[in-house]
Amino acid sequence: MLCICGLTAVGALDDRFDLSVKIRMLVQALISVAMIYFANAELHTLGNLLGFGAIELGLFGGVVTVLAVIGCINAFNMVDGIDGLLGGLSIVTFASIGILLLLAGEQSLSYLCLLLVVCMVPYILLNLGFVGHKRKVFMGDAGSMMIGFTVIWLLIGASQTAGNPMIRPVTALWLIAVPLMDMVAIMVRRVKHGKSPFKPDREHLHHICQRLGFSSLQTLTLICFISSVFAAVGIVGEVLLVPEFVMFYGFIAIFTVYLIFLINYCTVMNYFRRKLNLPEKQFSSN
């Protein structure tokens, strides 16, 4: 609760004053260290990801944990681009974690996930304007960072249980597949074009869907459906004990296809924008 309060306060300040990336990253790193030191929530093993035996992190566990926390927080923060999307993806993730925890016999933690799902419903109704546009609310960085941190805390706690973990580490990738793949792909594309990986643009998955002609509601439905499919793969793989390396290589294959699609799509769109001499904002909206 102390970590969440601190992170949410910084997120609120960022919403109000637009803090620099360095300050946000520093706070996220400090909260990660606090999580490791005070709650003993740390990544110790990645499981048999490559098929050659379990990957034990040892002394690097703390560093990898900090990177994982920062990555998850920013993945959910960056995906918050259209109304309802962050809330919808959060419901998919929390519901999936809750199902797996329930199957593992952790009813209390499963109930917490259910509580988070139920709390998200009224937010989505307000965010989408179903009760009037005058009553619209937005998640902001305060909400998105809190959600990302809660997700990674639950995933670390469930996958790093000594002896018999509640879920395997590779399953976590499938439960947060859409935010994770979108963030990494976007950052790779930005670096490839000589830009800062944290510089905002309009090349996220939801932007691409809208350029293809989908409305905001259709884009929301489509992306949440894709996320649900990925989460279902993770749940089925966990229940059926599909080898970890099979699930990992499958995830990498899907991510590679998405990365190639994103890079090539953006290249084609920018080519036609230059040929037609259209401003990027105008071209993005047509």
Side-chain angles (χ1 to χ4, degrees):
M1 289 302 298
L2 289 174
C3 287
I4 287 177
C5 288
L7 191 62
T8 304
V10 172
L13 291 174
D14 183 41
D15 288 326
R16 178 64 180 85
F17 300 106
D18 193 19
L19 302 178
S20 69
V21 174
K22 294 180 180 179
I23 294 177
R24 296 201 306 268
M25 289 291 181
L26 176 61
V27 172
Q28 292 168 13
L30 292 175
I31 288 179
S32 305
V33 173
M35 181 186 75
I36 296 171
Y37 184 78
F38 292 106
N40 197 29
E42 181 180 354
L43 286 168
H44 301 289
T45 178
L46 300 180
N48 187 16
L49 287 184
L50 304 178
F52 303 109
I55 301 176
E56 302 296 336
L57 297 176
L59 297 176
F60 298 99
V63 176
V64 176
T65 302
V66 171
L67 294 176
V69 172
I70 293 176
C72 190
I73 290 175
N74 287 283
F76 279 88
N77 183 32
M78 293 173 68
V79 82
D80 186 19
I82 60 174
D83 290 346
L85 183 56
L86 178 58
L89 293 177
S90 301
I91 286 179
V92 172
T93 300
F94 284 128
S96 303
I97 297 174
I99 291 173
L100 290 173
L101 291 175
L102 183 62
L103 294 175
E106 289 289 334
Q107 294 184 353
S108 59
L109 287 177
S110 179
Y111 180 79
L112 173 62
C113 293
L114 174 62
L115 180 64
L116 292 168
V117 169
V118 173
C119 290
M120 206 66 63
V121 173
Y123 160 74
I124 291 180
L125 294 177
L126 289 165
N127 185 228
L128 292 176
F130 286 161
V131 292
H133 287 281
K134 290 184 178 181
R135 297 179 177 85
K136 286 195 71 169
V137 296
F138 300 92
M139 188 76 73
D141 287 346
S144 62
M145 291 199 295
M146 184 273 288
I147 287 176
F149 182 68
T150 304
V151 167
I152 193 63
W153 186 302
L154 288 170
L155 290 176
I156 290 176
S159 65
Q160 302 299 309
T161 308
N164 186 25
M166 291 171 273
I167 66 173
R168 298 174 299 175
V170 69
T171 304
L173 295 176
W174 290 93
L175 303 187
I176 59 172
V178 170
L180 182 61
M181 289 195 297
D182 192 56
M183 178 193 69
V184 176
I186 283 294
M187 295 180 78
V188 169
R189 188 196 65 80
R190 290 171 183 171
V191 171
K192 181 175 180 292
H193 288 86
K195 301 179 181 178
S196 168
F198 300 102
K199 182 179 180 181
D201 57 26
R202 294 182 56 83
E203 307 297 350
H204 290 274
L205 179 59
H206 50 270
H207 293 134
I208 294 176
C209 290
Q210 290 180 315
R211 288 180 189 157
L212 293 175
F214 293 100
S215 66
S216 294
L217 187 57
Q218 290 172 332
T219 299
L220 168 64
T221 304
L222 176 61
I223 295 178
C224 287
F225 172 75
I226 294 173
S227 180
S228 299
V229 172
F230 286 148
V233 172
I235 293 173
V236 172
E238 183 71 26
V239 172
L240 298 182
L241 296 178
V242 176
E244 294 173 83
F245 66 90
V246 173
M247 295 184 66
F248 178 69
Y249 290 136
F251 179 85
I252 294 299
I254 293 175
F255 170 71
T256 302
V257 171
Y258 175 72
L259 180 60
I260 294 174
F261 164 76
L262 179 68
I263 293 176
N264 291 336
Y265 178 86
C266 293
T267 301
V268 173
M269 293 291 281
N270 288 329
Y271 171 80
F272 281 106
R273 178 175 62 84
R274 290 192 297 268
K275 286 295 182 181
L276 298 174
N277 197 29
L278 294 174
E280 184 173 357
K281 182 175 181 181
Q282 176 183 346
F283 189 72
S284 301
S285 62
N286 291 330

